[in-house]
Structure formats: structure tokens, C-alpha cells
Amino acid sequence: MTVHFPFQNSYAALPANFFARVAPTPVEKPRLIKLNRPLALHLGLDPDQLDTSEGAEILAGKTLPDGADPIAMAYAGHQFGHFVPQLGDGRAILLGEVIDKDGVRRDIQLKGSGPTPFSRRGDGRAALGPVLREYIVSEAMAAMGIPTTRSLAAVITGEPVMRETALPGAVLTRVAASHIRVGTFQYFAARGDTEAVQRLADHVIERHYPHLKAAERPYPALLSAVIGRQAELVARWLLIGFIHGVMNTDNTSISGETIDYGPCAFMDAYNPATVFSSIDEYGRYAYANQPRIALWNLTRFAECLLPLLSDDQDKAVAEAQDLLGAFGEAFNDAYKAGLRKKLGLFTERDDDQLLAQALLDTMAAAGADFTLTFRRLSDAAGRGDNAEVRALFEEPAAFDEWAVRWRARLGEEPQSAEERRAAMRTVNPAFIPRNHRIEAVIQAAVWNDDYAPFEELLAVLARPFEDQPQFAAYADPPKPEERVCQTFCGT
């Protein structure tokens, strides 16, 4: 049986300095441990063909499918504020692009498929744990409607990788609208290659923002569009308690997708200063800092585009600053609208943000669980009974005081209690990929070759807004001894 990928390779058709042509490094005994069959179908692939030994070899990089044009993409990036002029795909290889059932072009990339010219002395491999983490979190984000890269497959290679100790090696097949990053533009801008910056901008417009081709001035329109998508994306992260953990410019997607799930995590107890990443020593990428960092990253993108905005440097800078000034309003609009939905408010009032912030402050003071508070608030809106949500607060009097204001605000709107509850339950998930659950899944897989916990967690997270009584324990915050305080890149 021949596995067919209907590849098109538009990025590989760009000039040779945009990438390095390199094939994946073969592995000995690849074994498919997870295939995302619905996603395969959406991509126009045959899951039955992929779910074979031949499919496993392709998904591990042991063999190449017909039509693949494997490349490692070049990019630079600011990592924790420090510029590195050459990074690139050090352990990832883009096989090619397919057009999905919606007519959208998608990259198919192998992550952990061996060294490339950008590996910087790394082995180009991935350990099983980080592969499972990215599979779980990216698919959970997709189920919650957050723009994200997707996971098509996870394959165990049959070969160990050396980190602090020997660990099972694995390869993730990642699907993205594209893998073009702010850092991709920085790679060429740092070299003074304005022609390449313009070529890349034209490619991005063609691929992600085709409506801008008709714009009188497409490059400022591109900057504005990317700013808007990033503002909305980061607002949506905050609304579900997500912390990316490593918001470097090379991890900022031009398409507006969440990309590169390294030390990412979801908050349990609400605290705006929460940091999980073991390498974020100073809290640069803390939960509440993410909007500020997004704007910082977008400013770096704007710097790359300056020569395309105007031949007059001062005019270009002034226009870029003006466009960047729209980020704050775009973020605030998306964030405030999201908070109103989480509180069950259908209309807008001037003091709604104060009401929402008062709840968040009360949650922070009490250490109340972020996800569980909003989920129980959804049910409280349908019952008129606050008992279950107030139980999350050690000192419930502060919540009670807030709830009086909330109930009064709800009374200003005509929707029924059940309408409000139903609406709130579509934005306040019951289930998120809690860190202790992910760690338990990884431990079972790495040390016992047991993927049943992985499969069960994926099944639960595929329906995040449903109650699923048989899996109710997955909604619970960790017990003190289960808390995960640090997450790791796993590179």
C-alpha cells in the first residue's frame, strides 16, 4: 500500500537562502503510537494508509513520501530579549504542504526528525515526553477553538535520546497554517536583505492575507493584520488561563496561531504573576505579561518592515508606531468581550470591566482555581445558587460581596437563567490539560510504555465544554502533593 500525500511546496519554491534542503534522519524501528484520524481526513489524507508500518516510517522520517520536498526553514529571533541572528529549524523538517478540505494550505512538518544545518550542535531529536505534551495541549487548544498548530501523529522511534538521562525518542507530525514567524523576517532584516524581506512579505500576503493584495499599500496593511491577529490570540490565551512560557519572536507565528508548545502550562490557582517555565527566571513571560510581550514582539516585526513602509526612515517609523498603537485597543476589546461572555453578560456596560477585575482580584487573594471558578459560575448563573462556586474561596465573604453586584448586573438583561448558563458553558471549559495530568500521562508512557492514560486524557479534552460525569475527576485541581510548579522545554 502506497501512502499518498498530495503535496504542494510553495515555500520550497522561494529562493535558496530561505531554507536548507535536508532529509530526515532514518530511525531503526518506528512505531505509531497515535494518529489523529479526523485531522488526517480533513487534510485529504487516508488514515488507513497512515496507520500502517509504511505510514509509521513516513511519520518518523525513515522514508519520504512521493512529492515531499524536505526543508529546514531559516529564521532568527529574540530569545528572552536577546537577539540571535541565526536559529532555524534545528530539529524539524517541513515535508511539504497540502490543501485541506476548507481550501486552506497547511504545512506538514516532522518535529524531532534529526539534525539540520541549523541544529547548533544539537542532536535534532525529540524525547517522548515533549512530543506527548505538544500533542495533548495543541489538540486541547483546538477543541477550545483557540488558533493553534495541530498534531497529526506521534511516533516512537525505537531509539533513545540523551538528555539528563536516556529517554525514548519520538517524532511529532505537526500541522500549521505555516511555520513563518516574526523571526523569519528578522533573519533577513538582520542581514540587510530588504529584497528577501519583501519577497517573504509577498509570500505571507498571498498565503495568509490574500485580501490585502488589493490594498493600496499592502505592507502597512500586513503589519496591521498581524497585529490584530496576535492581539486577539493573546486575549484568548488569558481567557482560558494559558501561559505560553517562551514567547520569543521565533515562537510568534505570522498566521496568528499558537505555535511551539514547550514549557507551556495552564494555571490552576489564579495568580497573574504565574510562571511555570524553568528557563523563565525573571518572569518575562508570566501570565499577565503576555500582552506586553506580544506587543514587544510585534514591534520587532514592524522594524523588519520599515524599508517596505517608506524610503523615508522617519516616516516609516512614525507609521509603524501608529499601527502598533492599535494593539492595546484590539487586545482590550477582545479581552473585555471575552470576560463579559465568561460572566454571562450579553450586553456591554461601562463598569463591566471593573466587575470582572473585582472577581479576578478576589480569586487571586483566595487562590481560587481559575477554570473551576468560571465553570461553577456558569452553573450558578442557571440556578441562582452560589454554593458550589463560593466553596472555592477560603474566605467566601469577599466572593459573596462580589456576587451581589454580579447578580444585580445579570438582572439588567432579559435572557433567562438557562440561556445564560448555556452560553457561559460554551466559553468556560470544564476540562483543560492540567499540568499534573499531563505529567502523569508522560510518566506512564516513558517508563511503562503505557499509553492508556494518554488516550483517555485526549478523549476527555476533545470535549472540553461537556460535563462528562464519568471523567469528573479530570476537572479537579491538583492536590498539594500533585502540583507541578515547573515545566521544561525538552529540547
Side-chain angles (χ1 to χ4, degrees), residues 23-34:
T25 302
V27 295
E28 285 296 322
K29 297 178 180 178
R31 173 165 59 96
L32 184 65
I33 56 178
K34 183 62 180 177

mmCIF file with all atom_site columns, all heavy atoms in Angstrom, residues 23-34:
data_model
loop_
_atom_site.group_PDB
_atom_site.id
_atom_site.type_symbol
_atom_site.label_atom_id
_atom_site.label_alt_id
_atom_site.label_comp_id
_atom_site.label_asym_id
_atom_site.label_entity_id
_atom_site.label_seq_id
_atom_site.pdbx_PDB_ins_code
_atom_site.Cartn_x
_atom_site.Cartn_y
_atom_site.Cartn_z
_atom_site.occupancy
_atom_site.B_iso_or_equiv
_atom_site.pdbx_formal_charge
_atom_site.auth_seq_id
_atom_site.auth_comp_id
_atom_site.auth_asym_id
_atom_site.auth_atom_id
_atom_site.pdbx_PDB_model_num
ATOM 1  N N   . ALA A 1 23 ? 17.105 16.018 4.339  1.00 0.00 ? 23 ALA A N   1
ATOM 2  C CA  . ALA A 1 23 ? 16.157 14.929 4.566  1.00 0.00 ? 23 ALA A CA  1
ATOM 3  C C   . ALA A 1 23 ? 16.163 14.527 6.033  1.00 0.00 ? 23 ALA A C   1
ATOM 4  O O   . ALA A 1 23 ? 17.170 14.698 6.732  1.00 0.00 ? 23 ALA A O   1
ATOM 5  C CB  . ALA A 1 23 ? 16.521 13.727 3.693  1.00 0.00 ? 23 ALA A CB  1
ATOM 6  N N   . PRO A 1 24 ? 15.050 13.998 6.535  1.00 0.00 ? 24 PRO A N   1
ATOM 7  C CA  . PRO A 1 24 ? 15.050 13.461 7.896  1.00 0.00 ? 24 PRO A CA  1
ATOM 8  C C   . PRO A 1 24 ? 16.074 12.338 8.032  1.00 0.00 ? 24 PRO A C   1
ATOM 9  O O   . PRO A 1 24 ? 16.435 11.670 7.054  1.00 0.00 ? 24 PRO A O   1
ATOM 10 C CB  . PRO A 1 24 ? 13.622 12.926 8.058  1.00 0.00 ? 24 PRO A CB  1
ATOM 11 C CG  . PRO A 1 24 ? 12.816 13.604 7.003  1.00 0.00 ? 24 PRO A CG  1
ATOM 12 C CD  . PRO A 1 24 ? 13.745 13.853 5.865  1.00 0.00 ? 24 PRO A CD  1
ATOM 13 N N   . THR A 1 25 ? 16.548 12.130 9.255  1.00 0.00 ? 25 THR A N   1
ATOM 14 C CA  . THR A 1 25 ? 17.482 11.044 9.541  1.00 0.00 ? 25 THR A CA  1
ATOM 15 C C   . THR A 1 25 ? 16.696 9.775  9.852  1.00 0.00 ? 25 THR A C   1
ATOM 16 O O   . THR A 1 25 ? 15.850 9.787  10.747 1.00 0.00 ? 25 THR A O   1
ATOM 17 C CB  . THR A 1 25 ? 18.378 11.411 10.742 1.00 0.00 ? 25 THR A CB  1
ATOM 18 O OG1 . THR A 1 25 ? 19.070 12.630 10.450 1.00 0.00 ? 25 THR A OG1 1
ATOM 19 C CG2 . THR A 1 25 ? 19.389 10.306 11.019 1.00 0.00 ? 25 THR A CG2 1
ATOM 20 N N   . PRO A 1 26 ? 16.936 8.694  9.128  1.00 0.00 ? 26 PRO A N   1
ATOM 21 C CA  . PRO A 1 26 ? 16.165 7.468  9.370  1.00 0.00 ? 26 PRO A CA  1
ATOM 22 C C   . PRO A 1 26 ? 16.366 6.935  10.782 1.00 0.00 ? 26 PRO A C   1
ATOM 23 O O   . PRO A 1 26 ? 17.420 7.124  11.407 1.00 0.00 ? 26 PRO A O   1
ATOM 24 C CB  . PRO A 1 26 ? 16.733 6.494  8.330  1.00 0.00 ? 26 PRO A CB  1
ATOM 25 C CG  . PRO A 1 26 ? 17.332 7.354  7.269  1.00 0.00 ? 26 PRO A CG  1
ATOM 26 C CD  . PRO A 1 26 ? 17.855 8.559  7.988  1.00 0.00 ? 26 PRO A CD  1
ATOM 27 N N   . VAL A 1 27 ? 15.336 6.278  11.294 1.00 0.00 ? 27 VAL A N   1
ATOM 28 C CA  . VAL A 1 27 ? 15.406 5.612  12.603 1.00 0.00 ? 27 VAL A CA  1
ATOM 29 C C   . VAL A 1 27 ? 15.152 4.121  12.395 1.00 0.00 ? 27 VAL A C   1
ATOM 30 O O   . VAL A 1 27 ? 14.630 3.690  11.365 1.00 0.00 ? 27 VAL A O   1
ATOM 31 C CB  . VAL A 1 27 ? 14.381 6.201  13.593 1.00 0.00 ? 27 VAL A CB  1
ATOM 32 C CG1 . VAL A 1 27 ? 14.720 7.646  13.905 1.00 0.00 ? 27 VAL A CG1 1
ATOM 33 C CG2 . VAL A 1 27 ? 12.960 6.096  13.036 1.00 0.00 ? 27 VAL A CG2 1
ATOM 34 N N   . GLU A 1 28 ? 15.506 3.350  13.395 1.00 0.00 ? 28 GLU A N   1
ATOM 35 C CA  . GLU A 1 28 ? 15.501 1.896  13.238 1.00 0.00 ? 28 GLU A CA  1
ATOM 36 C C   . GLU A 1 28 ? 14.110 1.279  13.224 1.00 0.00 ? 28 GLU A C   1
ATOM 37 O O   . GLU A 1 28 ? 13.711 0.613  12.275 1.00 0.00 ? 28 GLU A O   1
ATOM 38 C CB  . GLU A 1 28 ? 16.337 1.258  14.355 1.00 0.00 ? 28 GLU A CB  1
ATOM 39 C CG  . GLU A 1 28 ? 17.827 1.410  14.157 1.00 0.00 ? 28 GLU A CG  1
ATOM 40 C CD  . GLU A 1 28 ? 18.336 0.687  12.913 1.00 0.00 ? 28 GLU A CD  1
ATOM 41 O OE1 . GLU A 1 28 ? 17.838 -0.419 12.630 1.00 0.00 ? 28 GLU A OE1 1
ATOM 42 O OE2 . GLU A 1 28 ? 19.188 1.260  12.213 1.00 0.00 ? 28 GLU A OE2 1
ATOM 43 N N   . LYS A 1 29 ? 13.355 1.483  14.304 1.00 0.00 ? 29 LYS A N   1
ATOM 44 C CA  . LYS A 1 29 ? 12.100 0.749  14.480 1.00 0.00 ? 29 LYS A CA  1
ATOM 45 C C   . LYS A 1 29 ? 10.962 1.689  14.864 1.00 0.00 ? 29 LYS A C   1
ATOM 46 O O   . LYS A 1 29 ? 10.508 1.698  16.012 1.00 0.00 ? 29 LYS A O   1
ATOM 47 C CB  . LYS A 1 29 ? 12.266 -0.326 15.553 1.00 0.00 ? 29 LYS A CB  1
ATOM 48 C CG  . LYS A 1 29 ? 13.293 -1.403 15.197 1.00 0.00 ? 29 LYS A CG  1
ATOM 49 C CD  . LYS A 1 29 ? 13.427 -2.412 16.335 1.00 0.00 ? 29 LYS A CD  1
ATOM 50 C CE  . LYS A 1 29 ? 14.448 -3.484 15.986 1.00 0.00 ? 29 LYS A CE  1
ATOM 51 N NZ  . LYS A 1 29 ? 14.615 -4.457 17.116 1.00 0.00 ? 29 LYS A NZ  1
ATOM 52 N N   . PRO A 1 30 ? 10.491 2.507  13.938 1.00 0.00 ? 30 PRO A N   1
ATOM 53 C CA  . PRO A 1 30 ? 9.403  3.434  14.287 1.00 0.00 ? 30 PRO A CA  1
ATOM 54 C C   . PRO A 1 30 ? 8.099  2.690  14.576 1.00 0.00 ? 30 PRO A C   1
ATOM 55 O O   . PRO A 1 30 ? 7.781  1.689  13.931 1.00 0.00 ? 30 PRO A O   1
ATOM 56 C CB  . PRO A 1 30 ? 9.279  4.301  13.043 1.00 0.00 ? 30 PRO A CB  1
ATOM 57 C CG  . PRO A 1 30 ? 9.812  3.462  11.926 1.00 0.00 ? 30 PRO A CG  1
ATOM 58 C CD  . PRO A 1 30 ? 10.898 2.636  12.532 1.00 0.00 ? 30 PRO A CD  1
ATOM 59 N N   . ARG A 1 31 ? 7.383  3.214  15.553 1.00 0.00 ? 31 ARG A N   1
ATOM 60 C CA  . ARG A 1 31 ? 6.092  2.617  15.926 1.00 0.00 ? 31 ARG A CA  1
ATOM 61 C C   . ARG A 1 31 ? 5.093  3.735  16.138 1.00 0.00 ? 31 ARG A C   1
ATOM 62 O O   . ARG A 1 31 ? 5.337  4.653  16.937 1.00 0.00 ? 31 ARG A O   1
ATOM 63 C CB  . ARG A 1 31 ? 6.253  1.770  17.197 1.00 0.00 ? 31 ARG A CB  1
ATOM 64 C CG  . ARG A 1 31 ? 4.928  1.247  17.776 1.00 0.00 ? 31 ARG A CG  1
ATOM 65 C CD  . ARG A 1 31 ? 5.199  0.131  18.796 1.00 0.00 ? 31 ARG A CD  1
ATOM 66 N NE  . ARG A 1 31 ? 6.030  0.563  19.904 1.00 0.00 ? 31 ARG A NE  1
ATOM 67 C CZ  . ARG A 1 31 ? 5.568  0.978  21.091 1.00 0.00 ? 31 ARG A CZ  1
ATOM 68 N NH1 . ARG A 1 31 ? 4.259  1.037  21.311 1.00 0.00 ? 31 ARG A NH1 1
ATOM 69 N NH2 . ARG A 1 31 ? 6.398  1.322  22.055 1.00 0.00 ? 31 ARG A NH2 1
ATOM 70 N N   . LEU A 1 32 ? 3.983  3.683  15.431 1.00 0.00 ? 32 LEU A N   1
ATOM 71 C CA  . LEU A 1 32 ? 2.945  4.701  15.564 1.00 0.00 ? 32 LEU A CA  1
ATOM 72 C C   . LEU A 1 32 ? 2.231  4.523  16.898 1.00 0.00 ? 32 LEU A C   1
ATOM 73 O O   . LEU A 1 32 ? 1.701  3.453  17.193 1.00 0.00 ? 32 LEU A O   1
ATOM 74 C CB  . LEU A 1 32 ? 1.946  4.569  14.420 1.00 0.00 ? 32 LEU A CB  1
ATOM 75 C CG  . LEU A 1 32 ? 0.830  5.606  14.334 1.00 0.00 ? 32 LEU A CG  1
ATOM 76 C CD1 . LEU A 1 32 ? 1.388  6.986  14.065 1.00 0.00 ? 32 LEU A CD1 1
ATOM 77 C CD2 . LEU A 1 32 ? -0.166 5.212  13.238 1.00 0.00 ? 32 LEU A CD2 1
ATOM 78 N N   . ILE A 1 33 ? 2.235  5.586  17.716 1.00 0.00 ? 33 ILE A N   1
ATOM 79 C CA  . ILE A 1 33 ? 1.532  5.498  18.994 1.00 0.00 ? 33 ILE A CA  1
ATOM 80 C C   . ILE A 1 33 ? 0.242  6.319  18.991 1.00 0.00 ? 33 ILE A C   1
ATOM 81 O O   . ILE A 1 33 ? -0.633 6.083  19.815 1.00 0.00 ? 33 ILE A O   1
ATOM 82 C CB  . ILE A 1 33 ? 2.437  5.930  20.174 1.00 0.00 ? 33 ILE A CB  1
ATOM 83 C CG1 . ILE A 1 33 ? 2.998  7.337  19.962 1.00 0.00 ? 33 ILE A CG1 1
ATOM 84 C CG2 . ILE A 1 33 ? 3.553  4.931  20.370 1.00 0.00 ? 33 ILE A CG2 1
ATOM 85 C CD1 . ILE A 1 33 ? 3.844  7.830  21.114 1.00 0.00 ? 33 ILE A CD1 1
ATOM 86 N N   . LYS A 1 34 ? 0.108  7.251  18.042 1.00 0.00 ? 34 LYS A N   1
ATOM 87 C CA  . LYS A 1 34 ? -1.133 7.993  17.950 1.00 0.00 ? 34 LYS A CA  1
ATOM 88 C C   . LYS A 1 34 ? -1.268 8.605  16.569 1.00 0.00 ? 34 LYS A C   1
ATOM 89 O O   . LYS A 1 34 ? -0.347 9.262  16.072 1.00 0.00 ? 34 LYS A O   1
ATOM 90 C CB  . LYS A 1 34 ? -1.205 9.115  19.005 1.00 0.00 ? 34 LYS A CB  1
ATOM 91 C CG  . LYS A 1 34 ? -2.526 9.879  19.005 1.00 0.00 ? 34 LYS A CG  1
ATOM 92 C CD  . LYS A 1 34 ? -3.705 8.975  19.329 1.00 0.00 ? 34 LYS A CD  1
ATOM 93 C CE  . LYS A 1 34 ? -5.014 9.722  19.335 1.00 0.00 ? 34 LYS A CE  1
ATOM 94 N NZ  . LYS A 1 34 ? -6.168 8.817  19.576 1.00 0.00 ? 34 LYS A NZ  1
#
